[in-house]
Amino acid sequence: QVQVVESGGGLVQAGGSLRLSCRTSGLTFDDWAVGWFRQYPGKEREGVSCNSWIGGSMYYKDSVKGRFMISRDDAQNTVYLQMSDLSPEDTAMYYCAARKYRCPVGGRSTEFSVWGQGTQVTVSS
């Protein structure tokens, strides 16, 4: 059974940094793409970034480019999202998700089949 589990969320001041982790299990890591999404209250989940062994990394939000970096540790079957220069607008529930092979161009949540429970990121001003 394929599973993904997020960790690393928390409370941070504006300008600070956090690193989210998405540990996967039950899959052949190189064959799967792992993405990060975030969800604001009352809003749909939006794609933030994605990484696959086949296609590399993608960033879906212009607002995170240059501030967030996605990376993978093949030995740990884990994908990380390093978030820097955080602002209150980054406050959201962050979810990790997985799908076979490549990251989708559009980063829509419907294109991912396996989801974690989410981790809250709160940025204070």
Side-chain angles (χ1 to χ4, degrees):
Q1 181 181 359
V2 178
Q3 292 184 317
V4 298
V5 179
E6 309 96 333
S7 62
L11 174 64
V12 64
Q13 288 188 331
S17 300
L18 279 176
R19 188 179 77 161
L20 305 183
S21 300
C22 175
R23 187 171 182 91
T24 69
S25 61
L27 52 74
T28 301
F29 193 53
D30 289 351
D31 289 344
W32 286 72
V34 176
W36 284 99
F37 289 75
R38 64 186 180 189
Q39 187 171 23
Y40 301 104
K43 302 291 186 180
E44 293 188 358
R45 292 180 190 180
E46 60 179 31
V48 176
S49 184
C50 181
N51 177 273
S52 68
W53 185 83
I54 295 174
S57 300
M58 302 181 73
Y59 297 90
Y60 298 120
K61 303 296 294 185
D62 288 341
S63 61
V64 308
K65 291 177 181 177
R67 300 189 301 122
F68 290 11
M69 186 173 73
I70 193 169
S71 63
R72 61 191 286 130
D73 183 336
D74 292 337
Q76 298 293 327
N77 285 4
T78 298
V79 171
Y80 301 100
L81 185 68
Q82 178 68 48
M83 306 185 295
S84 303
D85 192 23
L86 286 162
S87 73
E89 288 71 32
D90 296 314
T91 295
M93 183 70 80
Y94 283 72
Y95 293 90
C96 173
R99 57 167 274 157
K100 289 298 288 290
Y101 305 126
R102 293 180 178 271
C103 296
V105 174
R108 291 181 290 271
S109 61
T110 53
E111 295 175 290
F112 288 78
S113 57
V114 180
W115 289 86
Q117 80 287 353
T119 185
Q120 177 68 38
V121 171
T122 302
V123 184
S124 63
S125 57

